[in-house]
Amino acid sequence: PHFMIELPDRDDALCFNINDKPGTIFSLVRDAQSGILVNGQIIGDKKIPPDGKINTYFWRFGIVHKNLGVRLEVNTQDISVFQDGKQIKLLWSDTASLKGPNVDLLVTKDRSLKVTLKDSVKFVILLHKVWEKHPYHRDYLGFYTLDSHLLSPSVHGLLGQFYHGIEYEVTDLRPGEFPEKPDATMFVKGQELNVTRGWQRDFRNDVKNGENVPCWFIHTNGTGLIDGDATDYIVSGLF
Amino acid sequence: ARRLQKRSTNEKTVEVYRVAVDCTVTSRFAHTVMTSMAVNKANVSQEIFFEMELPKTAFITNFSMEIESKMYVGEVKEKEKAKKQYEKAVSSGQTAGLVKASGRKMEKFSVSVNIAAESNVTFILTYEELLQRKLGQYEILTRVKPKTLVQEFEIVTNIYEPQGLSYVDAHATFLSNELLPLVEKTVTDKKARISFSPTMDQQRKCPGCDGTLIDGDFIIKYDVNRQTSLGDIQIVNGYFVHFFAPPDLPRVPKNVVFVIDRSGSMSGIKMQQTREAMLAILKDLHEEDHFALIPFDSSIEPWKESLIKATKENVAEAMAYVKKINDRGATDINGAVLRGVEMLVQGKQSKALPDRSVDMIILLTDGMPNVGVSDTSMIQQNVRSAIGGNMSLFCLGFGNGVDYGFLDVMSQQNKGLARRIYEASDATLQLQGFYDEVSSPLLSEVDLRYPDNAVELLTTNHFKQLFNGSEIVVAGRLMDNDMDNFLVEVFGQGFEEDFKVQGQARALDWGVMYPDEEYIFGDFTERLWAYLTIQQLLDKSKTGASDEKANATAKALDMSLQYSFVTPLTSMVVTKPETEDGPDSPLIADKLTEEQRQQAEKMSGRHYGYASSPPRLAYYPPTPTYFVDGD
């Protein structure tokens, strides 16, 4: 999956990929103070494509808001909400909305799920439906944070660590491997990284084709940009 | 200064009868009343907009509306309390007033009210400011944009300066050859009157058309006579104000270290502007000055290891070096500024720099530190303790990304100033202008002393420097009316010798000085004192220790409420009359902080203010997006 940090203040974006073995679960957001947790599990293609490159995607997200007593499991099949000992199941094949005292859900048929957790976070999960008989690929999900300003300064995770901004500078632009993707030097978190200008797709407005967003790509699983190493974010369970 | 127009432009059913700007300046304290009157000639009610611009250094003191002979008067409230009131209104779909930044010098205030058919409305906005002397002059700036022809249009300014006027100049950006003779200027020794009142025909862009020529800035510049070294002390109604800017003082040589950010984010126009400005500044250095250049990114590489004299040869060499400064790397502000401090300290200790000279550091940067010490409060602490009150730090912040608050506090903690440099085409001039303001110190360690038993509630009376073309202002309250012992002393360090003057202050008899004026502006000295005190408390609320900050904020709030000033701590609330659209709803006038202005500019075109029901007025910050997806 590709991660994207869009910074409209600077009219710029940062991006990186993180891949691991299918089945790995990553911590995306963790805010102990507000009791919020978002974990995602990746899945691989149906079989190894001819180019031998295994692509992985998120197919399942576990979302917990401890303080509100809310738990959500979203996968490519359905959406389950657990609250006060009750479970509600919503299907991607329906358009539905659920308004509760602590959580609002809005499902747009076969397309997106918008989640608002009271006084904490708002996000959208996109469903990418792939032709059922596609020889390699299968359905997968995208996770887009819409509003995170109420989370505490200690929020962390692969996405969460960027919620309160990131300071960086890019300099020394030079030709890269491909003419349309120049390289540059990025100074971030006290390190000097070699980055490449590229783009990644934002699918919020066009779930089929997406929109290209130019970004500085950080190589090797975001090493240097993310705190620690990508493996530090592997967790054992979805909740 | 205002725009009155209807929302629908299908028919011309709103007529603007009167636009008047009445400004009275008494001893630099300017009190401006802007009045706009319009009539809704339609047979249905409609929304009328009132939009005006005022200098950002001014505080609104009143805003009122008169609708069908009924007056709705503004009330200054604590911001949080006012917020509650208008949040209620906003949630019920009413519009609130808006304040947003407008260019470098002004901020815009706009409101709208729904006016019944065949009714008229008069908006009256009052604001006050202490004019600051810069480069040897005071400036009164009035922005007028009536957008339509106005039956009665007038700008009248009366200036009363007991010291006497040395010159008065008036011009406007929209003055054509035809309009120029309409500016009437009468100047006597201590009074000036400038008026401009074109008829409807004279306002017209072309015969028979509705467009108006009146669109731009009306600017009055003046200065006062300076005859005594002690300055001018005026006593009115129990308050005194001391204006200190002695004539004919030789300038003090300065030792200036330019700390120049050349990190990656300065690339392009900012770096180019810095180079250009530095070249112009270097050219203006006086031969007796000493200077150093410290370009920095993640590494700090001074041009020379110590300050050198600004001889022609050295300046030429520095200029050649400046031309080659290029952007690269990250930003180590802490290391670079500390290096500058160290250089100055060493220069003084080794006697390489003259004893009687002023030390200053000018930091040119665009961004947040991200290498070395990157915690801004830690940098402030380090810089403050290294400087130890012995030199001044001036900061120039480039671009909208700059953390201006950080630079502002750091400068104020070190007896300096911060200024934002806007990335417009004239950034070089802005830089030079700032440099001109601070580059000619006349005195250092200026102390203005008054008898302890005669005055109280004194504003700041110690100043690190007095710059050529500026002025020091101190005000306070007199404890009794016995002026026999009101001895005033001023001490400072001049170039060759100490500066020391003393003299006796005496109350002015305004009745004798201005016999024809029945009433000028009775309590202006008290209001001037209040304005100055609030400004200084607001500064202290950013720079002091935490308990000092809290005390300063509380005092500034109290005084803002007492004197009815709209400051960053207060809001002015006017309750609009009930209309068929809904119940009463408040209009709000606010004051922006520099950070809010910067935020507003980032919106570039979007409105700053409190979110209100129509989406076009709402302010939403650009939200960063964080996502993960697959291709």
Side-chain angles (χ1 to χ4, degrees), chain B residues 274-436:
Chain B
T274 305
R275 279 191 297 259
E276 285 170 12
M278 278 307 305
L279 291 174
I281 288 169
L282 286 169
K283 220 162 40 186
D284 286 350
L285 283 173
H286 290 251
E287 284 229 20
E288 68 272 25
D289 291 342
H290 286 72
F291 74 107
L293 305 173
I294 307 184
F296 74 97
D297 49 273
S298 37
S299 56
I300 298 148
E301 293 169 354
W303 171 50
K304 306 264 182 200
E305 284 309 310
S306 56
L307 285 98
I308 57 167
K309 206 154 189 242
T311 60
K312 275 186 186 139
E313 297 73 29
N314 287 340
V315 167
E317 200 189 329
M319 287 170 83
Y321 173 79
V322 161
K323 283 180 192 163
K324 289 185 197 146
I325 296 178
N326 276 315
D327 59 287
R328 66 177 199 216
T331 313
D332 182 2
I333 290 179
N334 185 70
V337 176
L338 293 192
R339 187 62 182 273
V341 176
E342 196 186 306
M343 242 188 216
L344 282 164
V345 170
Q346 277 174 1
K348 277 273 163 83
Q349 277 172 353
S350 65
K351 305 277 179 196
L353 302 175
D355 274 347
R356 283 187 182 272
S357 57
V358 169
D359 297 335
M360 58 174 79
I361 295 175
I362 298 184
L363 168 66
L364 299 93
T365 183
D366 77 326
M368 286 291 291
N370 51 16
V371 98
V373 179
S374 57
D375 176 348
T376 50
S377 56
M378 186 59 77
I379 296 175
Q380 286 166 347
Q381 209 175 306
N382 291 344
V383 170
R384 191 179 200 171
S385 95
I387 284 181
N390 295 319
M391 52 192 84
S392 305
L393 174 68
F394 299 94
C395 295
L396 293 165
F398 282 88
N400 278 329
V402 67
D403 182 352
Y404 180 78
F406 157 58
L407 298 179
D408 187 29
V409 169
M410 191 159 72
S411 310
Q412 289 190 38
Q413 284 172 337
N414 297 289
K415 318 214 168 184
L417 289 168
R419 187 70 60 81
R420 287 183 58 206
I421 298 296
Y422 299 77
E423 271 179 78
S425 55
D426 68 341
T428 312
L429 285 177
Q430 295 173 52
L431 274 166
Q432 263 181 274
F434 175 78
Y435 181 74
D436 289 344

Side-chain angles (χ1 to χ4, degrees), chain B residues 34-35 46 59 70 73 124 167 189 252 296 322 380 389 399 420 431 445 463 473 482 530 559 572-573 591 622 624:
Chain B
M34 310 188 105
T35 310
Q46 58 180 331
F59 290 150
K70 194 168 175 197
V73 181
I124 304 163
Y167 76 90
D189 177 27
V252 179
F296 74 97
V322 161
Q380 286 166 347
R420 287 183 58 206
L431 274 166
E445 306 297 344
F463 297 82
V473 183
D482 175 16
M559 287 188 65
M572 175 156 291
V573 181
K591 182 88 200 151

Side-chain angles (χ1 to χ4, degrees), chain A residues 13 19 133 156 176 206 227:
Chain A
N19 283 299
K133 293 191 174 91
H156 211 259
D206 180 351
D227 292 336

Side-chain angles (χ1 to χ4, degrees), chain A residues 59-79:
Chain A
W59 80 285
R60 201 155 76 105
F61 291 116
I63 297 136
V64 180
H65 194 313
K66 268 190 199 157
N67 302 355
L68 297 179
V70 178
R71 211 173 80 185
L72 275 131
E73 186 189 325
V74 184
N75 61 43
T76 50
Q77 299 299 311
D78 51 43
I79 298 145

